[in-house]
Amino acid sequence: MKEIRFFFVPDAATVAELPDDEAVHAVRVLRLQQGDEMMLMDGNGTYYRALVTLATQKRCLYDIIETMPQERQWQGHVHLAIAPTKMMDRIEWLAEKATEVGIDEMTFLDCQFSERRSVKLPRIEKIVVSAVKQSRKAYMPVLNDMTDFKKFVNYHTTGRRYIAHCYDEIPRVNLFDTLRQDEADEDALVMIGPEGDFSVDEVRMAVDAGFVSVDLGKSRLRTETAGLAAVMMMQLAQAAVKNN
């Protein structure tokens, strides 16, 4: 029995054909044929069970036979804001793994000590789509382009907000301990700085704006490792509260 394959089709309910890149993968790589079953995901919380009605070298048409709304796997809105690393393969790895673990939104920050001032968002989006399919996530994370640190801090004024940094002169609490004490269904936003960390002025600006100053443990982590650790902590804290 063939394994049912998942395909990302944002307009699955209103179109009857796979997007070009998904069609090529379905027909040329997976060799799907007329009558084969497949699963579509729209990234907005719904799966669709469908049958292939036409398969050519470049096209794959389908009929939907079942609509399957999915419940969210966690409460609240998990948001990671991070300054991208100089080497983009490291931030691409983070986007993939954070999606697999579970995230709702990811923003790239332009900070005082940032080594990279721009990102290729379409490439990251493709990586995230692949991770959504791999991990069978019903919801596609929102990806935001480079955003000025000050504008970002001043815009986000509600929910649980944290800034992780390594400055001993600014009091910090442990992120995981703090998350477990808060309400699991609230939005949670964690900011991670560049490889040179946020500047002291940036940390103080965030704290003055209501962000909680936190650490991620005793180890000093690379940027992408810190980002993944923060996502893991947000998910584990929710699981801990849910199971109590």
Side-chain angles (χ1 to χ4, degrees):
M1 181 178 179
K2 288 185 177 180
E3 177 186 357
I4 297 180
R5 302 291 184 168
F6 280 72
F7 298 91
F8 182 67
V9 188
D11 302 317
T14 57
V15 301
E17 182 173 357
L18 294 185
D20 292 345
D21 54 343
E22 294 282 51
V24 169
H25 183 67
V27 176
R28 295 187 184 180
V29 179
L30 301 178
R31 301 188 180 281
L32 295 188
Q33 300 176 358
Q34 183 177 346
D36 284 343
E37 187 173 314
M38 59 183 176
M39 196 73 75
L40 314 178
M41 47 175 53
D42 64 5
N44 289 314
T46 304
Y47 290 168
Y48 303 88
R49 195 158 62 92
L51 291 179
V52 176
T53 58
L54 176 67
T56 68
Q57 285 296 309
K58 295 183 179 180
R59 301 182 67 189
C60 184
L61 278 62
Y62 60 82
D63 278 340
I64 292 175
I65 58 177
E66 184 179 6
T67 299
M68 307 164 62
Q70 303 294 303
E71 292 185 3
R72 285 191 173 274
Q73 297 179 353
W74 56 87
Q75 300 297 316
H77 187 87
V78 177
H79 187 173
L80 175 68
I82 189 167
T85 56
K86 184 177 182 180
M87 302 298 293
M88 273 307 298
D89 59 337
R90 290 165 54 188
I91 212 69
E92 290 168 358
W93 174 89
L94 168 63
E96 178 184 64
K97 301 310 174 187
T99 300
E100 292 176 4
V101 171
I103 193 170
D104 294 298
E105 187 171 359
M106 187 172 183
T107 300
F108 297 105
L109 295 176
D110 185 2
C111 305
Q112 182 176 340
F113 298 149
S114 289
E115 294 186 296
R116 175 175 288 276
R117 304 292 179 179
S118 64
V119 294
K120 295 181 179 178
L121 209 59
R123 174 174 171 79
I124 299 175
E125 288 174 343
K126 288 183 178 180
I127 293 170
V128 168
V129 166
S130 179
V132 164
K133 293 190 293 183
Q134 169 66 32
S135 57
R136 307 289 168 87
K137 294 290 190 297
Y139 292 86
M140 175 75 175
V142 174
L143 291 179
N144 300 315
D145 211 340
M146 291 292 290
T147 304
D148 177 75
F149 176 88
K150 183 177 180 179
K151 290 181 179 179
F152 184 85
V153 167
N154 291 333
Y155 179 79
H156 289 83
T157 58
T158 60
R160 295 178 294 167
R161 295 163 295 151
Y162 308 96
I163 180 168
H165 63 89
C166 299
Y167 295 107
D168 292 332
E169 63 267 34
I170 301 177
R172 294 166 292 169
V173 294
N174 181 263
L175 175 61
F176 185 61
D177 290 342
T178 301
L179 285 166
R180 287 193 301 174
Q181 295 170 7
D182 293 335
E183 294 295 328
D185 59 351
E186 286 188 32
D187 296 347
L189 161 62
V190 178
M191 291 196 298
I192 303 293
E195 292 176 304
D197 207 344
F198 295 110
S199 69
V200 173
D201 288 342
E202 286 173 330
V203 175
R204 288 176 175 158
M205 180 191 303
V207 171
D208 289 343
F211 283 74
V212 177
S213 172
V214 298
D215 63 54
L216 304 177
K218 295 182 178 180
S219 298
R220 183 170 290 241
L221 306 175
R222 286 181 177 271
T223 296
E224 72 277 12
T225 311
L228 185 58
V231 173
M232 286 291 300
M233 289 179 188
M234 284 188 274
Q235 286 290 356
L236 289 172
Q238 287 206 11
V241 173
K242 182 178 180 180
N243 292 332
N244 285 340

